[in-house]
Amino acid sequence: MTTLKVRPVCAAAMLLCAHIGFAAAQTAPAPQSTDQQSAPTAEDAVRAAAGPDAQAAPAPAGGAIQTVQVTGLRASIRSAEQIKRDSEQVVDSINADDIGKFPDRAAGDALQRVAGVQVGRNLGETNSVIIRGLPDVITSFEGNEIFTGTGRRLSYQDLPVQSIAGLDVYKSATANQLEGGIAGGVNVRLRAPFDFKGYTVTGQVEARRNYVEGSDATSLDTNPGGSILMTNRWNTGRGEMGFLVDVAYNKENWAFPTQWVDRPDRIFSVGQDGTAIRLNDDQPIAPLRPGDRLGELPNIGGVYNAGDRERGSIHAAFQWKINPSTEFMTQYLGTSYRGTRETDYIMNIATWAPRLTNVQLAPDSAACQTPNGSICLIRAASAPAAQFGGPYDWDPYTATSTQAFKESTDTHYLNFALKYREGPLSVDSNLAFTRSDFISDGVIVDQQIPGASSSVYTYGNDGHGGFNNIITPTSSNPLQDPNQFVLRGLVQNWGESRGEQTQFRTDAVYRLGDGFITAITGGIRLSSRDVEFHGADRPTDLQGAVRPSPVAAFGPSFQTLVPGMDRLGGPWMTPSRDFLLHQSDQVRAFYGLAPGRLPEDPNRMFDQRERTATLHLGARWKAALGNIGVTGNVGGRLIKVDRQLSGQAQIGNVISPIDVDSDETNFLPNFSALVNWTDRLQSHVSVGKTITRPEFSRLNPALSLVPPTVNAPGTGSAGNPNLAPTKSVNTDATIEYYFQKNGFAQLALFHRDIDGYLQNFELAEVINGQNYRVSRPQNSGKGTLRGAEFGIQKFFDFLPGAWSGLGAQFNYTWTDGDNETRTDFNSGEYRKTALVEVAKQSYNFTLLYEYGGWTGRLAATRRGKYVEQIAEPRYGQDRWVKASTYVDLSVGYALTPNLSLNFDAINLTKERYESYLGNPERPRDIRYNPTTYGISLRYQM
């Protein structure tokens, strides 16, 4: 008899040390999935956790019982290491303890610890995952496709770590894996009852607090969260059964300030005396006075994003080992999001001012060179108020605006799985259902300060802009005086998105023995995906010549003083989010509209149906070259897609119905090999073809518009129903060395030949007599992505005493690439450009500690600079995002064998997003990410 005695140092961690395989002591492990062949069974995890350095305890009297001492964090890391080592593909993994003992609340937070993986952050959350610089990532639950809303990908912030047993990041694919990501795939392994020894209860309660940089007036509440997991398993007369349920909930009061410097627009002739005269569109671009130089003044403004959001989830699993050959499991995962948020704008449109004073023009340099000659940035200027029409027609145009939204997302995933093992045959069948709904209701009201003069700067000490002051003849601080404002327009919008999918797959493996071909693999997959969107969006302005003050129209409760931004003068008055959402009918009535939602706009309707049939065949093989062992996989995946798309396309004022039936067939061959040079040195080699289908929203031709202001054009976005899948031929090779007791070092090379990468193009369109900047996607030409990864991880067991608890992980990724970008929308001509969103350099560095009841992690994640937008108007300059490094800290202590106390800190360095246009001397956005501190109690029984 062999007994595993597990001693998790951080025993009270809510996300158990259970993935090291408590089940092995009592029952045979759950059979391994043939579709995700490298996913570990409980036995695999135990074996990996024990490792070659497992210490045998003296056998007690009465029997030879071996005891293996395994600690939780080390076991989890070694388990993930074993997955990597045994897989026929290039894969990196993290398991339950490595996820759950640290400050990661959602799946995306955890994934940023994986080599070659970066994450996107927005509104204080991790909302997207990028593998080796590319965002085209497919997500699966145990091999089944999963998504949120009408997207093809999961909203990672909706998936709590409490339900996750492990995350596998696949950087190469085999024929039996789900297609859809040229960058790679993320497979989520959900928790199952047989992962645990028996009756287990774990839980946690936490409190977090956000601190916002860039806005000293912000004061946020403490954010609670909690979760509980309960599971048990029983031997019955009808086989072994297990049941698991876990529930998670968290609430967050958040803020996310952003200051922007708009793209170049108006050009001024700047004199040596610090005055400037605006050039009109009908004038040549040339100095107006002797000695003048040309300068451009971008618009300055900001957004104070804030809100309240709640996320909850429930996950349940029933597992039944019917007999030694057959196992059944069903899993349900439901996630929900509820939120109210506000986007509080402040803007000072000074670029249309006819005259400027106190102008500070940047010195002539390479940053000033444009297609129209040397035009330097105006770093600071004063814009005196100038009236050009009626009582409300003033330059600069100074306004605030509130966009108030109420949102909800509900996603339901239900899966039935049957696994059969008998002799050489293994068959796995899955039937899964997914439905995801997203609903949004918005009310937007603008208000203006007539007759305001401003003093602005576009380039300050930290390379970004702001306001020196905004004044009127009657107020030295009109932004905080509600009586200085008059009402402008109202915009209402609502949208309901729904995505549904039924998918069935059966995968089989027939083992042939020890010849060259060791097994034949094959399977089918059928999927039916329906996506639809309904909504309406309409701007309305006041009738008549008089614009009342907001307070006179609705009373003092209509306006609120939001915290604002320090660099924009601090707090400002703007319409109240709560008033707009809860008294929206009163607002509508004042603008002469009927109560309730707008009638549905048929021009915004979108409906798409996608039917997919897939056949995959492959073979596993084995060979020996002297003392070198080689195993591998060769195969192909044939996919037939039939698509029906209907909607309305709008270009300018022309609206055209779209009703398209199309089909496509793709064959994706692949080859992979695992070369065992020695018992510690090995290589992975793979080559294969992959595709990424366009997001449904990018196929949606309906046009969504944000109306223009008096002095600024509107913006809009629309999809393109003619988009084709992006295709890529991926080549990967690694050399990996595994240390004797634990840890490994790896060097990986990769190359991607890409065809049809999606890029956005901006078009100038006149709609109902108004100017709009409309963004639409289109396939580009051919591109390449190439790079290298280096990674190493090791626990320093050889050190004495408490020092032996130290460990470290480091990985570095270098990428380079280019792409053929169309010179214009629908153009057949291309030019070489950078690949969008691909950073040349990135790394993750983590210090780990686990000893004597203490666990800790200090992690730094760096993403290098990257191009966010190719050839942004007016001068066709690329928009770049600066490099950023995020540092997180987590420390835990086991108060008792069942209870631990943990402290977490996220974004200790107060890192922020910063972008610029062509050259850092032309800044764009600065977005302030919060720093979060949290404390939690975690319990395990």
Side-chain angles (χ1 to χ4, degrees), residues 337-655:
Y337 156 75
R338 300 288 183 272
T340 56
R341 64 180 178 88
E342 59 191 287
T343 302
D344 301 317
Y345 277 91
I346 184 170
M347 64 191 74
N348 180 258
I349 311 299
T351 57
W352 281 89
R355 299 285 189 274
L356 301 176
T357 61
N358 303 317
V359 176
Q360 298 177 22
L361 187 63
D364 201 347
S365 67
C368 300
Q369 301 311 306
T370 76
N372 299 122
S374 178
I375 305 176
C376 295
L377 177 70
I378 295 176
R379 291 183 169 179
S382 297
Q387 190 171 13
F388 61 88
Y392 311 109
D393 298 330
W394 289 84
D395 287 314
Y397 180 77
T398 304
T400 66
S401 172
T402 298
Q403 301 184 5
F405 297 96
K406 184 178 181 181
E407 301 171 328
S408 67
T409 304
D410 292 290
T411 301
H412 305 275
Y413 169 81
L414 177 64
N415 178 50
F416 300 94
L418 187 66
K419 300 181 179 182
Y420 175 78
R421 306 286 186 271
E422 186 66 38
L425 179 65
S426 301
V427 180
D428 288 0
S429 293
N430 277 260
L431 176 64
F433 305 91
T434 306
R435 173 162 177 162
S436 187
D437 296 271
F438 175 71
I439 300 173
S440 175
D441 284 274
V443 181
I444 304 169
V445 172
D446 300 340
Q447 57 184 27
Q448 174 198 0
I449 302 177
S453 300
S454 65
S455 174
V456 300
Y457 63 97
T458 61
Y459 189 92
N461 292 333
D462 62 354
H464 290 273
F467 299 157
N468 289 314
N469 62 66
I470 293 179
I471 61 173
T472 67
T474 58
S475 176
S476 61
N477 192 2
L479 291 174
Q480 297 185 21
D481 184 351
N483 296 310
Q484 295 289 316
F485 291 89
V486 296
L487 284 171
R488 300 295 306 197
L490 161 73
V491 178
Q492 300 177 81
N493 59 56
W494 64 271
E496 295 187 3
S497 304
R498 177 183 59 82
E500 291 183 329
Q501 183 181 44
T502 300
Q503 54 186 315
F504 170 79
R505 64 180 177 87
T506 291
D507 305 286
V509 176
Y510 190 83
R511 295 167 184 84
L512 299 176
D514 291 329
F516 176 70
I517 302 297
T518 61
I520 301 297
T521 65
I524 62 170
R525 180 177 182 269
L526 303 173
S527 169
S528 175
R529 179 80 189 271
D530 294 343
V531 171
E532 66 177 34
F533 172 82
H534 300 273
D537 190 327
R538 183 187 301 169
T540 304
D541 205 351
L542 294 169
Q543 302 300 313
V546 177
R547 294 188 176 276
S549 74
V551 172
F554 300 110
S557 62
F558 177 79
Q559 284 194 320
T560 187
L561 189 68
V562 299
M565 297 182 64
D566 302 335
R567 65 191 317 124
L568 298 177
W572 64 75
M573 300 297 300
T574 194
S576 162
R577 175 190 70 183
D578 292 339
F579 194 103
L580 295 182
L581 291 178
H582 302 310
Q583 301 181 59
S584 52
D585 282 347
Q586 181 181 347
V587 177
R588 295 185 183 103
F590 190 83
Y591 281 84
L593 301 175
R597 270 183 171 180
L598 293 169
E600 182 178 327
D601 182 356
N603 293 328
R604 298 202 67 199
M605 182 275 295
F606 172 61
D607 192 1
Q608 183 166 329
R609 305 180 188 280
E610 190 173 88
R611 307 291 182 260
T612 305
T614 304
L615 171 68
H616 69 82
L617 293 172
R620 296 176 184 169
W621 52 273
K622 179 175 68 174
L625 303 174
N627 294 326
I628 301 172
V630 185
T631 59
N633 193 305
V634 63
R637 190 173 182 92
L638 182 67
I639 310 113
K640 173 70 180 296
V641 178
D642 292 308
R643 185 178 295 122
Q644 295 176 302
L645 185 154
S646 61
Q648 303 288 332
Q650 181 175 351
I651 299 178
N653 289 326
V654 179
I655 299 176

Side-chain angles (χ1 to χ4, degrees), residues 9-32:
V9 169
C10 202
M14 181 272 159
L15 294 181
L16 306 176
C17 307
H19 199 71
I20 58 178
F22 290 127
Q26 291 191 356
T27 185
Q32 184 175 346

Side-chain angles (χ1 to χ4, degrees), residues 655-895:
I655 299 176
S656 306
I658 297 290
D659 194 355
V660 178
D661 288 350
S662 62
D663 63 83
E664 62 187 50
T665 302
N666 288 283
F667 177 65
L668 309 178
N670 64 78
F671 168 86
S672 61
L674 173 60
V675 184
N676 293 291
W677 305 102
T678 69
D679 61 344
R680 301 193 186 284
L681 186 67
Q682 69 178 39
S683 291
H684 283 93
V685 179
S686 68
V687 60
K689 185 177 181 180
T690 64
I691 62 170
T692 294
R693 299 186 186 94
E695 293 279 2
F696 292 102
S697 60
R698 302 186 85 169
L699 293 166
N700 180 2
L703 182 62
S704 177
L705 298 174
V706 177
T709 62
V710 172
N711 284 340
T715 58
S717 62
N720 180 356
N722 300 314
L723 294 176
T726 302
K727 300 177 182 180
S728 177
V729 176
N730 295 358
T731 304
D732 295 85
T734 72
I735 184 76
E736 305 157 19
Y737 181 79
Y738 293 85
F739 303 121
Q740 183 174 3
K741 289 190 174 184
N742 71 81
F744 69 91
Q746 169 192 272
L747 177 65
L749 304 176
F750 56 90
H751 191 279
R752 307 283 186 261
D753 286 312
I754 303 169
D755 188 8
Y757 196 65
L758 295 187
Q759 293 182 319
N760 286 326
F761 287 80
E762 186 178 285
L763 305 174
E765 299 182 22
V766 178
I767 302 171
N768 297 325
Q770 301 282 355
N771 294 320
Y772 285 87
R773 303 167 177 169
V774 179
S775 176
R776 302 176 190 270
Q778 195 169 60
N779 292 100
S780 59
K782 297 183 181 298
T784 60
L785 177 72
R786 51 199 168 268
E789 286 178 355
F790 171 76
I792 186 169
Q793 71 177 36
K794 176 71 175 172
F795 269 99
F796 306 135
D797 297 345
F798 53 86
L799 295 175
W803 292 102
S804 64
L806 281 171
Q809 297 172 313
F810 174 76
N811 60 77
Y812 170 85
T813 303
W814 175 87
T815 57
D816 189 24
D818 52 57
N819 193 47
E820 292 180 338
T821 297
R822 296 178 189 268
T823 56
D824 201 357
F825 194 75
N826 287 330
S827 169
E829 298 181 359
Y830 299 90
R831 62 186 181 92
K832 286 285 186 180
T833 65
L835 269 171
V836 176
E837 295 188 353
V838 175
K840 276 201 170 185
Q841 300 184 69
S842 61
Y843 68 75
N844 299 323
F845 177 69
T846 305
L847 283 175
L848 302 165
Y849 189 78
E850 185 174 49
Y851 187 87
W854 289 95
T855 57
R857 181 175 70 175
L858 179 66
T861 303
R862 181 173 179 83
R863 184 181 183 187
K865 72 173 186 177
Y866 60 91
V867 175
E868 188 174 45
Q869 175 69 50
I870 297 291
E872 187 172 87
R874 157 179 193 158
Y875 301 126
Q877 297 165 308
D878 294 344
R879 185 170 74 239
W880 289 81
V881 177
K882 292 183 179 180
S884 58
T885 303
Y886 291 86
V887 178
D888 300 337
L889 171 69
S890 184
V891 178
Y893 181 71
L895 302 172

Side-chain angles (χ1 to χ4, degrees), residues 55-369:
Q55 300 296 316
I65 300 177
Q66 181 184 10
T67 301
V68 178
Q69 299 290 345
V70 181
T71 59
L73 178 58
R74 296 173 191 240
S76 176
I77 291 175
R78 293 186 193 177
S79 172
E81 181 181 311
Q82 197 67 35
I83 295 172
K84 177 183 183 68
R85 190 171 187 176
D86 292 343
S87 173
E88 294 173 354
Q89 306 152 257
V90 181
V91 60
D92 287 284
S93 300
I94 48 177
N95 286 329
D97 268 3
D98 196 20
I99 298 169
K101 287 194 173 183
F102 300 111
D104 309 320
R105 236 183 196 178
D109 302 326
L111 281 167
Q112 66 183 311
R113 320 297 175 198
V114 177
V117 174
Q118 296 89 43
V119 299
R121 300 173 187 239
N122 188 39
L123 303 182
E125 292 185 303
T126 299
N127 67 331
S128 62
V129 171
I130 300 161
I131 298 178
R132 290 171 169 171
L134 294 174
D136 304 282
V137 178
I138 187 70
T139 310
S140 59
F141 280 179
E142 312 285 0
N144 296 317
E145 185 178 8
I146 188 64
F147 56 86
T148 303
T150 58
R152 293 193 187 273
R153 302 181 182 91
L154 178 71
S155 292
Y156 286 94
Q157 63 268 39
D158 288 343
L159 178 61
V161 297
Q162 285 83 353
S163 302
I164 299 174
L167 296 165
D168 304 316
V169 178
Y170 290 93
K171 300 169 183 176
S172 67
T174 54
N176 57 2
Q177 284 188 302
L178 186 66
E179 77 284 350
I182 66 169
V186 176
N187 183 57
V188 180
R189 290 179 273 118
L190 297 173
R191 291 186 175 277
F194 289 179
D195 289 344
F196 300 85
K197 181 178 180 181
Y199 177 69
T200 304
V201 178
T202 67
Q204 73 165 359
V205 292
E206 67 172 349
R208 290 190 172 191
R209 196 168 185 88
N210 295 331
Y211 292 88
V212 177
E213 190 189 8
S215 177
D216 287 343
T218 297
S219 178
L220 297 176
D221 298 330
T222 299
N223 302 313
S227 63
I228 186 170
L229 178 149
M230 295 181 290
T231 184
N232 203 354
R233 53 195 294 179
W234 306 269
N235 285 310
T236 72
R238 297 182 179 273
E240 186 174 13
M241 300 182 184
F243 182 75
L244 175 148
V245 62
D246 65 75
V247 179
Y249 169 84
N250 65 73
K251 183 176 182 180
E252 187 171 22
N253 175 226
W254 58 274
F256 185 70
T258 297
Q259 183 267 320
W260 45 264
V261 175
D262 202 1
R263 66 186 58 173
D265 187 9
R266 297 292 94 186
I267 299 174
F268 288 80
S269 182
V270 182
Q272 298 179 14
D273 60 353
T275 63
I277 303 171
R278 190 192 73 215
L279 301 183
N280 296 321
D281 290 334
D282 57 355
Q283 291 178 270
I285 301 176
L288 297 178
R289 301 169 297 190
D292 278 13
R293 293 168 54 203
L294 295 180
E296 55 93 358
L297 178 67
N299 294 315
I300 308 296
V303 184
Y304 187 82
N305 300 281
D308 299 280
R309 54 193 171 214
E310 297 177 84
R311 283 194 164 87
S313 70
I314 180 168
H315 168 231
F318 171 72
Q319 201 167 3
W320 178 18
K321 195 169 188 62
I322 301 171
N323 56 51
S325 301
T326 310
E327 180 183 301
F328 170 81
M329 184 164 69
T330 182
Q331 292 203 73
Y332 167 79
L333 177 67
T335 64
S336 69
Y337 156 75
R338 300 288 183 272
T340 56
R341 64 180 178 88
E342 59 191 287
T343 302
D344 301 317
Y345 277 91
I346 184 170
M347 64 191 74
N348 180 258
I349 311 299
T351 57
W352 281 89
R355 299 285 189 274
L356 301 176
T357 61
N358 303 317
V359 176
Q360 298 177 22
L361 187 63
D364 201 347
S365 67
C368 300
Q369 301 311 306

